[in-house]
Amino acid sequence: MKKNLLWIAAILCFSFSGCVVIGGYADMARNISLSEEYHAVLAKWTRGKTLYSQFETKIRLVATCVTGEFMEAYIAENTRLYNETDRAAVERMEGFIRDDTGVLEIVFYASSPKEEVNDFASTPSSWVVFLQTTDGERLDPVEIREIKDITPQVEAFFPYVQKRYGKFYSLLFQRPQPTDTCEGILVFTGVVGRIELSW
C-alpha cells in the first residue's frame, strides 16, 4: 500500500512540475511588450482561414487590412516602444507598409506544406487574388509583393507571421473611392482551392 502511495505521489510531483514548465513556455510565447490596444485593433482588421483536403492542410492564410485605424495603432505602438516621434515611426515602416492614401493595402501570411503552392508573387502564380467590393465590383491587385525582410519587429507586430514556415505578402488595390475601411471579400482562388476572407 505504501509503495502504491509513493508511486502516486511521484507521478503527481512530475505531472505538476511538467505543468509548471509548460505554463512557463506558454507565458514566453505571449508578446507582453505590445499593448492590449494594439492587439485589439490588429484583431479587428485581421481574418484567417485554413484550406483542408481529406484531413490534410493545403494552405493557411491570415490577412490584415491596413486601414487608417490600424495605421494609427501601428504608429502609436512604434512611438511608445521606441520612444520616438511619429515621423520616425513612419520612417521605420517604409519599405514594409505603404503610407499612401491612393491605395488600399492588405498584408497576408501564407503557409503550406508544399512550397510550390505558396507562389502568390510569382508570374504566373497558382492563384488569382481579387477583392470583391460590397457593391459587387471586382478589384484586381495592382501589386502583389513578397515582404522578404521578416525582422523580429514584423514577427512581433504580426504574431501570425513565422518566417520559417511561410511567406509574408503585400497586396495593393486602387481605391475605388476615398475610404478608411476594408469592406468586401478578399478572394484567393486556384487549382488548390478557394479561400474567402470578409470584412
Side-chain angles (χ1 to χ4, degrees):
M1 181 73 175
K2 285 185 180 180
K3 196 173 186 181
N4 288 340
L5 287 175
L6 285 174
W7 277 109
I8 292 171
I11 290 170
L12 287 174
C13 182
F14 284 119
S15 298
F16 179 73
S17 63
C19 291
V20 170
V21 170
I22 290 169
Y25 283 119
D27 287 339
M28 286 189 332
R30 287 193 198 108
N31 189 344
I32 57 173
S33 63
L34 296 179
S35 70
E36 291 297 322
E37 292 80 12
Y38 173 78
H39 281 294
V41 174
L42 177 66
K44 178 179 178 179
W45 295 110
T46 299
R47 305 289 185 270
K49 281 189 183 172
T50 303
L51 184 65
Y52 297 100
S53 176
Q54 298 177 350
F55 304 108
E56 178 188 358
T57 298
K58 292 291 186 182
I59 195 160
R60 169 85 177 143
L61 296 174
V62 184
T64 299
C65 188
V66 182
T67 61
E69 181 185 16
F70 175 80
M71 285 292 290
E72 285 177 17
Y74 184 84
I75 291 170
E77 198 66 6
N78 269 278
T79 302
R80 184 185 71 80
L81 285 174
Y82 294 101
N83 196 26
E84 60 191 5
T85 65
D86 285 359
R87 181 65 222 154
V90 170
E91 288 172 1
R92 182 180 295 281
M93 69 187 185
E94 285 177 359
F96 165 48
I97 292 179
R98 308 292 173 88
D99 188 19
D100 185 351
T101 55
V103 297
L104 170 65
E105 182 173 20
I106 299 175
V107 292
F108 72 95
Y109 173 75
S111 61
S112 174
K114 296 182 178 176
E115 192 174 334
E116 63 273 13
V117 169
N118 199 345
D119 66 344
F120 293 91
S122 301
T123 306
S125 170
S126 308
W127 299 92
V128 171
V129 182
F130 61 93
L131 184 65
Q132 191 79 42
T133 64
T134 51
D135 59 3
E137 185 181 357
R138 172 181 162 150
L139 297 177
D140 293 312
V142 293
E143 179 183 278
I144 302 177
R145 172 178 60 97
E146 182 182 348
I147 301 169
K148 294 189 176 180
D149 190 17
I150 307 297
T151 63
Q153 181 189 8
V154 170
E155 290 182 308
F157 276 84
F158 298 91
Y160 53 80
V161 174
Q162 298 177 349
K163 64 182 174 184
R164 289 181 182 82
Y165 303 107
K167 295 179 182 178
F168 198 32
Y169 297 92
S170 167
L171 286 171
L172 294 182
F173 297 93
Q174 272 318 124
R175 288 185 185 271
Q177 57 199 13
T179 180
D180 188 28
T181 187
C182 191
E183 293 178 353
I185 302 171
L186 182 61
V187 179
F188 301 85
T189 185
V191 293
V192 177
R194 183 181 179 102
I195 290 182
E196 296 182 356
L197 304 176
S198 60
W199 283 269

